[in-house]
Amino acid sequence: MLAVRETSASYPKPRLLDRVRDAIRGRHYSRRTEKAYVFFHAKRHPAEMGAPEVARFLTSLAVDGRVAASTQNQALNALLFLYRVVLEIDLPWLDEIVRARRPESLPTVLTRNEVRRVLECLDGTPRLIVLLLYGAGLRLLECAQLRIKDIDFAANQLIVRSGKGAKDRVTMLPTAAKTRLLAQIEAVRRQHRVDVETGAGWVALPDALARKYPNAGRELGWQWVFPATRHYVDRLTGQRRRHHLHESVVQRAVKRALREAGISKHASCHTFRHSFATHLLEDGHDIRTVQELLGHRDVSTTMIYTHVLNRGPSAVRSPVDRLLDA
């Protein structure tokens, strides 16, 4: 019996997009990064193109598409990843790109009274999530991805796992949210018990933890604090899982609450994080402390909130106020 010698020709060459996904997942990038980096370019294979085509594409984004600077940078990073990591082609320095201008805009901040009015127009899960956005300075996705084990009621702390930049951080657990949060976790506990009894009860685990701890995905501590209302079946494992609550549920509720509260500012869920930082600085807290709570890498990022304070560091008053007081 002759042995069949396996060669590389015996296996089909992986498609380009599959190679991109494998490279991204091998580096543990987020699924959102994967989604942003996968793209097409007029149906031509990227290996047939080079720096001139890349430069024209990025320039077109700024000139014709008028995209934001962050969008152009994301496209540039995706292209560099594709050529250097996947195709193993070094692009020369792209110095002829027309750069999209980055506007120096200040964040929208709500007053304390405005935050109170918005909260009064919310109820249920969206109200609790907004309490955490404003009370702990969380991003919306960070809040949606909280797991039960990441809440420390004894230490009044929330642990944010794999936040922006894949960094963990610790922030405060607001006292005003503790009672509602305990009730939410108890509701998740009851729901999880029913899910397990019906053959479900699984959640997705980060990285390779599912292989290291095969049953961890069914433990209560790993369950989402804010689970979705429906199950889905994972294609690889066949497990019946729950995703976390989709951000759009809270976004729609906040938009409606802002309208009902009569607030005309261009605000969103992220505005509560801006308000958290600004109000802490107004109360005299150290900017380094606020930086750590927000998870900023550089204090200069946190410094932007000093420009929107109701009073400056020297309690500067407008000259017209002194004139009319006289």
PDB file of all heavy atoms in Angstrom, residues 49-55 58 76 79-80 83-84 89-97 99:
ATOM      1  N   MET A  49      -1.883  45.920  -5.624  1.00  0.00           N
ATOM      2  CA  MET A  49      -1.794  47.363  -5.447  1.00  0.00           C
ATOM      3  C   MET A  49      -0.654  47.689  -4.489  1.00  0.00           C
ATOM      4  O   MET A  49      -0.031  46.802  -3.921  1.00  0.00           O
ATOM      5  CB  MET A  49      -3.123  47.910  -4.907  1.00  0.00           C
ATOM      6  CG  MET A  49      -4.298  47.681  -5.851  1.00  0.00           C
ATOM      7  SD  MET A  49      -5.848  48.347  -5.198  1.00  0.00           S
ATOM      8  CE  MET A  49      -6.221  47.133  -3.934  1.00  0.00           C
ATOM      9  N   GLY A  50      -0.405  48.973  -4.331  1.00  0.00           N
ATOM     10  CA  GLY A  50       0.680  49.382  -3.463  1.00  0.00           C
ATOM     11  C   GLY A  50       0.445  50.747  -2.870  1.00  0.00           C
ATOM     12  O   GLY A  50      -0.697  51.187  -2.706  1.00  0.00           O
ATOM     13  N   ALA A  51       1.553  51.449  -2.580  1.00  0.00           N
ATOM     14  CA  ALA A  51       1.461  52.745  -1.911  1.00  0.00           C
ATOM     15  C   ALA A  51       0.634  53.776  -2.679  1.00  0.00           C
ATOM     16  O   ALA A  51      -0.143  54.511  -2.068  1.00  0.00           O
ATOM     17  CB  ALA A  51       2.869  53.277  -1.636  1.00  0.00           C
ATOM     18  N   PRO A  52       0.761  53.877  -3.997  1.00  0.00           N
ATOM     19  CA  PRO A  52      -0.042  54.888  -4.710  1.00  0.00           C
ATOM     20  C   PRO A  52      -1.543  54.687  -4.526  1.00  0.00           C
ATOM     21  O   PRO A  52      -2.284  55.650  -4.285  1.00  0.00           O
ATOM     22  CB  PRO A  52       0.378  54.709  -6.175  1.00  0.00           C
ATOM     23  CG  PRO A  52       1.736  54.106  -6.102  1.00  0.00           C
ATOM     24  CD  PRO A  52       1.704  53.199  -4.920  1.00  0.00           C
ATOM     25  N   GLU A  53      -1.995  53.426  -4.626  1.00  0.00           N
ATOM     26  CA  GLU A  53      -3.424  53.159  -4.471  1.00  0.00           C
ATOM     27  C   GLU A  53      -3.882  53.420  -3.038  1.00  0.00           C
ATOM     28  O   GLU A  53      -4.961  53.968  -2.804  1.00  0.00           O
ATOM     29  CB  GLU A  53      -3.745  51.714  -4.863  1.00  0.00           C
ATOM     30  CG  GLU A  53      -3.658  51.423  -6.355  1.00  0.00           C
ATOM     31  CD  GLU A  53      -2.245  51.123  -6.814  1.00  0.00           C
ATOM     32  OE1 GLU A  53      -1.327  51.120  -5.953  1.00  0.00           O
ATOM     33  OE2 GLU A  53      -2.042  50.890  -8.009  1.00  0.00           O
ATOM     34  N   VAL A  54      -3.055  53.031  -2.081  1.00  0.00           N
ATOM     35  CA  VAL A  54      -3.403  53.260  -0.683  1.00  0.00           C
ATOM     36  C   VAL A  54      -3.487  54.750  -0.399  1.00  0.00           C
ATOM     37  O   VAL A  54      -4.420  55.230   0.260  1.00  0.00           O
ATOM     38  CB  VAL A  54      -2.366  52.583   0.246  1.00  0.00           C
ATOM     39  CG1 VAL A  54      -2.592  53.016   1.694  1.00  0.00           C
ATOM     40  CG2 VAL A  54      -2.457  51.067   0.129  1.00  0.00           C
ATOM     41  N   ALA A  55      -2.520  55.520  -0.899  1.00  0.00           N
ATOM     42  CA  ALA A  55      -2.522  56.971  -0.675  1.00  0.00           C
ATOM     43  C   ALA A  55      -3.739  57.625  -1.318  1.00  0.00           C
ATOM     44  O   ALA A  55      -4.367  58.509  -0.717  1.00  0.00           O
ATOM     45  CB  ALA A  55      -1.238  57.582  -1.227  1.00  0.00           C
ATOM     46  N   LEU A  58      -6.882  56.813   0.850  1.00  0.00           N
ATOM     47  CA  LEU A  58      -6.951  57.577   2.100  1.00  0.00           C
ATOM     48  C   LEU A  58      -7.209  59.059   1.832  1.00  0.00           C
ATOM     49  O   LEU A  58      -7.919  59.719   2.588  1.00  0.00           O
ATOM     50  CB  LEU A  58      -5.657  57.391   2.883  1.00  0.00           C
ATOM     51  CG  LEU A  58      -5.396  55.967   3.411  1.00  0.00           C
ATOM     52  CD1 LEU A  58      -3.995  55.866   3.995  1.00  0.00           C
ATOM     53  CD2 LEU A  58      -6.431  55.569   4.432  1.00  0.00           C
ATOM     54  N   LEU A  76      -6.292  53.747   7.784  1.00  0.00           N
ATOM     55  CA  LEU A  76      -4.847  53.621   7.621  1.00  0.00           C
ATOM     56  C   LEU A  76      -4.299  52.458   8.435  1.00  0.00           C
ATOM     57  O   LEU A  76      -3.495  51.652   7.939  1.00  0.00           O
ATOM     58  CB  LEU A  76      -4.170  54.930   8.049  1.00  0.00           C
ATOM     59  CG  LEU A  76      -2.634  54.917   8.096  1.00  0.00           C
ATOM     60  CD1 LEU A  76      -2.058  54.605   6.723  1.00  0.00           C
ATOM     61  CD2 LEU A  76      -2.105  56.254   8.604  1.00  0.00           C
ATOM     62  N   LEU A  79      -5.179  49.171   6.763  1.00  0.00           N
ATOM     63  CA  LEU A  79      -4.364  48.913   5.582  1.00  0.00           C
ATOM     64  C   LEU A  79      -2.943  48.500   5.953  1.00  0.00           C
ATOM     65  O   LEU A  79      -2.376  47.572   5.361  1.00  0.00           O
ATOM     66  CB  LEU A  79      -4.346  50.158   4.694  1.00  0.00           C
ATOM     67  CG  LEU A  79      -5.634  50.429   3.922  1.00  0.00           C
ATOM     68  CD1 LEU A  79      -5.668  51.861   3.415  1.00  0.00           C
ATOM     69  CD2 LEU A  79      -5.776  49.452   2.761  1.00  0.00           C
ATOM     70  N   LEU A  80      -2.361  49.193   6.930  1.00  0.00           N
ATOM     71  CA  LEU A  80      -1.011  48.822   7.361  1.00  0.00           C
ATOM     72  C   LEU A  80      -0.991  47.417   7.938  1.00  0.00           C
ATOM     73  O   LEU A  80      -0.047  46.642   7.707  1.00  0.00           O
ATOM     74  CB  LEU A  80      -0.498  49.831   8.394  1.00  0.00           C
ATOM     75  CG  LEU A  80      -0.238  51.256   7.873  1.00  0.00           C
ATOM     76  CD1 LEU A  80       0.201  52.161   9.015  1.00  0.00           C
ATOM     77  CD2 LEU A  80       0.805  51.244   6.764  1.00  0.00           C
ATOM     78  N   TYR A  83      -1.204  44.896   4.926  1.00  0.00           N
ATOM     79  CA  TYR A  83      -0.001  44.742   4.112  1.00  0.00           C
ATOM     80  C   TYR A  83       1.174  44.183   4.909  1.00  0.00           C
ATOM     81  O   TYR A  83       1.884  43.293   4.451  1.00  0.00           O
ATOM     82  CB  TYR A  83       0.370  46.090   3.484  1.00  0.00           C
ATOM     83  CG  TYR A  83      -0.409  46.379   2.216  1.00  0.00           C
ATOM     84  CD1 TYR A  83      -1.629  47.047   2.272  1.00  0.00           C
ATOM     85  CD2 TYR A  83       0.056  45.963   0.969  1.00  0.00           C
ATOM     86  CE1 TYR A  83      -2.358  47.300   1.122  1.00  0.00           C
ATOM     87  CE2 TYR A  83      -0.663  46.206  -0.180  1.00  0.00           C
ATOM     88  CZ  TYR A  83      -1.875  46.880  -0.108  1.00  0.00           C
ATOM     89  OH  TYR A  83      -2.591  47.104  -1.250  1.00  0.00           O
ATOM     90  N   ARG A  84       1.379  44.678   6.120  1.00  0.00           N
ATOM     91  CA  ARG A  84       2.560  44.261   6.873  1.00  0.00           C
ATOM     92  C   ARG A  84       2.406  42.897   7.515  1.00  0.00           C
ATOM     93  O   ARG A  84       3.332  42.084   7.485  1.00  0.00           O
ATOM     94  CB  ARG A  84       2.869  45.309   7.955  1.00  0.00           C
ATOM     95  CG  ARG A  84       3.328  46.646   7.406  1.00  0.00           C
ATOM     96  CD  ARG A  84       3.499  47.664   8.527  1.00  0.00           C
ATOM     97  NE  ARG A  84       3.948  48.967   8.027  1.00  0.00           N
ATOM     98  CZ  ARG A  84       4.026  50.056   8.755  1.00  0.00           C
ATOM     99  NH1 ARG A  84       3.703  50.026  10.051  1.00  0.00           N
ATOM    100  NH2 ARG A  84       4.439  51.196   8.238  1.00  0.00           N
ATOM    101  N   ILE A  89       4.053  42.704   3.164  1.00  0.00           N
ATOM    102  CA  ILE A  89       4.560  43.693   2.218  1.00  0.00           C
ATOM    103  C   ILE A  89       4.760  44.993   2.980  1.00  0.00           C
ATOM    104  O   ILE A  89       3.833  45.493   3.612  1.00  0.00           O
ATOM    105  CB  ILE A  89       3.582  43.915   1.041  1.00  0.00           C
ATOM    106  CG1 ILE A  89       3.386  42.614   0.244  1.00  0.00           C
ATOM    107  CG2 ILE A  89       4.074  45.042   0.136  1.00  0.00           C
ATOM    108  CD1 ILE A  89       2.340  42.734  -0.846  1.00  0.00           C
ATOM    109  N   ASP A  90       5.965  45.540   2.932  1.00  0.00           N
ATOM    110  CA  ASP A  90       6.244  46.809   3.601  1.00  0.00           C
ATOM    111  C   ASP A  90       5.901  47.961   2.670  1.00  0.00           C
ATOM    112  O   ASP A  90       6.469  48.086   1.575  1.00  0.00           O
ATOM    113  CB  ASP A  90       7.720  46.901   4.001  1.00  0.00           C
ATOM    114  CG  ASP A  90       8.033  46.038   5.214  1.00  0.00           C
ATOM    115  OD1 ASP A  90       7.125  45.867   6.050  1.00  0.00           O
ATOM    116  OD2 ASP A  90       9.161  45.531   5.313  1.00  0.00           O
ATOM    117  N   LEU A  91       4.975  48.800   3.119  1.00  0.00           N
ATOM    118  CA  LEU A  91       4.638  49.986   2.345  1.00  0.00           C
ATOM    119  C   LEU A  91       5.618  51.102   2.682  1.00  0.00           C
ATOM    120  O   LEU A  91       6.026  51.243   3.836  1.00  0.00           O
ATOM    121  CB  LEU A  91       3.217  50.459   2.673  1.00  0.00           C
ATOM    122  CG  LEU A  91       2.060  49.552   2.218  1.00  0.00           C
ATOM    123  CD1 LEU A  91       0.741  50.138   2.689  1.00  0.00           C
ATOM    124  CD2 LEU A  91       2.060  49.394   0.708  1.00  0.00           C
ATOM    125  N   PRO A  92       6.019  51.907   1.684  1.00  0.00           N
ATOM    126  CA  PRO A  92       6.866  53.063   1.994  1.00  0.00           C
ATOM    127  C   PRO A  92       6.085  54.095   2.787  1.00  0.00           C
ATOM    128  O   PRO A  92       4.863  54.003   2.921  1.00  0.00           O
ATOM    129  CB  PRO A  92       7.240  53.595   0.602  1.00  0.00           C
ATOM    130  CG  PRO A  92       6.131  53.135  -0.294  1.00  0.00           C
ATOM    131  CD  PRO A  92       5.696  51.795   0.248  1.00  0.00           C
ATOM    132  N   TRP A  93       6.800  55.068   3.313  1.00  0.00           N
ATOM    133  CA  TRP A  93       6.153  56.112   4.108  1.00  0.00           C
ATOM    134  C   TRP A  93       5.157  56.878   3.251  1.00  0.00           C
ATOM    135  O   TRP A  93       5.489  57.380   2.184  1.00  0.00           O
ATOM    136  CB  TRP A  93       7.210  57.061   4.665  1.00  0.00           C
ATOM    137  CG  TRP A  93       6.612  58.141   5.524  1.00  0.00           C
ATOM    138  CD1 TRP A  93       6.450  59.452   5.211  1.00  0.00           C
ATOM    139  CD2 TRP A  93       6.074  57.972   6.834  1.00  0.00           C
ATOM    140  NE1 TRP A  93       5.848  60.126   6.237  1.00  0.00           N
ATOM    141  CE2 TRP A  93       5.607  59.248   7.262  1.00  0.00           C
ATOM    142  CE3 TRP A  93       5.936  56.892   7.703  1.00  0.00           C
ATOM    143  CZ2 TRP A  93       5.027  59.467   8.497  1.00  0.00           C
ATOM    144  CZ3 TRP A  93       5.363  57.110   8.941  1.00  0.00           C
ATOM    145  CH2 TRP A  93       4.912  58.372   9.334  1.00  0.00           C
ATOM    146  N   LEU A  94       3.921  56.944   3.724  1.00  0.00           N
ATOM    147  CA  LEU A  94       2.852  57.582   2.957  1.00  0.00           C
ATOM    148  C   LEU A  94       2.777  59.057   3.351  1.00  0.00           C
ATOM    149  O   LEU A  94       1.982  59.452   4.204  1.00  0.00           O
ATOM    150  CB  LEU A  94       1.517  56.870   3.231  1.00  0.00           C
ATOM    151  CG  LEU A  94       1.508  55.359   2.964  1.00  0.00           C
ATOM    152  CD1 LEU A  94       0.186  54.758   3.415  1.00  0.00           C
ATOM    153  CD2 LEU A  94       1.752  55.072   1.492  1.00  0.00           C
ATOM    154  N   ASP A  95       3.618  59.876   2.737  1.00  0.00           N
ATOM    155  CA  ASP A  95       3.694  61.284   3.118  1.00  0.00           C
ATOM    156  C   ASP A  95       2.890  62.198   2.209  1.00  0.00           C
ATOM    157  O   ASP A  95       2.886  63.417   2.391  1.00  0.00           O
ATOM    158  CB  ASP A  95       5.150  61.750   3.151  1.00  0.00           C
ATOM    159  CG  ASP A  95       5.882  61.497   1.838  1.00  0.00           C
ATOM    160  OD1 ASP A  95       5.250  60.919   0.929  1.00  0.00           O
ATOM    161  OD2 ASP A  95       7.058  61.876   1.734  1.00  0.00           O
ATOM    162  N   GLU A  96       2.210  61.638   1.201  1.00  0.00           N
ATOM    163  CA  GLU A  96       1.441  62.466   0.276  1.00  0.00           C
ATOM    164  C   GLU A  96      -0.058  62.401   0.558  1.00  0.00           C
ATOM    165  O   GLU A  96      -0.865  62.861  -0.235  1.00  0.00           O
ATOM    166  CB  GLU A  96       1.706  62.025  -1.167  1.00  0.00           C
ATOM    167  CG  GLU A  96       3.165  62.194  -1.590  1.00  0.00           C
ATOM    168  CD  GLU A  96       3.401  61.775  -3.017  1.00  0.00           C
ATOM    169  OE1 GLU A  96       2.429  61.305  -3.648  1.00  0.00           O
ATOM    170  OE2 GLU A  96       4.531  61.924  -3.501  1.00  0.00           O
ATOM    171  N   ILE A  97      -0.427  61.838   1.697  1.00  0.00           N
ATOM    172  CA  ILE A  97      -1.844  61.722   2.028  1.00  0.00           C
ATOM    173  C   ILE A  97      -2.385  63.063   2.500  1.00  0.00           C
ATOM    174  O   ILE A  97      -1.741  63.758   3.293  1.00  0.00           O
ATOM    175  CB  ILE A  97      -2.051  60.665   3.141  1.00  0.00           C
ATOM    176  CG1 ILE A  97      -1.525  59.301   2.692  1.00  0.00           C
ATOM    177  CG2 ILE A  97      -3.519  60.571   3.530  1.00  0.00           C
ATOM    178  CD1 ILE A  97      -1.552  58.267   3.784  1.00  0.00           C
ATOM    179  N   ARG A  99      -4.543  64.748   4.918  1.00  0.00           N
ATOM    180  CA  ARG A  99      -5.060  64.330   6.221  1.00  0.00           C
ATOM    181  C   ARG A  99      -6.383  65.010   6.541  1.00  0.00           C
ATOM    182  O   ARG A  99      -6.555  66.208   6.291  1.00  0.00           O
ATOM    183  CB  ARG A  99      -4.052  64.679   7.327  1.00  0.00           C
ATOM    184  CG  ARG A  99      -2.799  63.818   7.292  1.00  0.00           C
ATOM    185  CD  ARG A  99      -3.095  62.431   7.794  1.00  0.00           C
ATOM    186  NE  ARG A  99      -1.894  61.618   7.905  1.00  0.00           N
ATOM    187  CZ  ARG A  99      -1.873  60.398   8.433  1.00  0.00           C
ATOM    188  NH1 ARG A  99      -2.994  59.871   8.897  1.00  0.00           N
ATOM    189  NH2 ARG A  99      -0.750  59.710   8.497  1.00  0.00           N
TER     190      ARG A  99
END
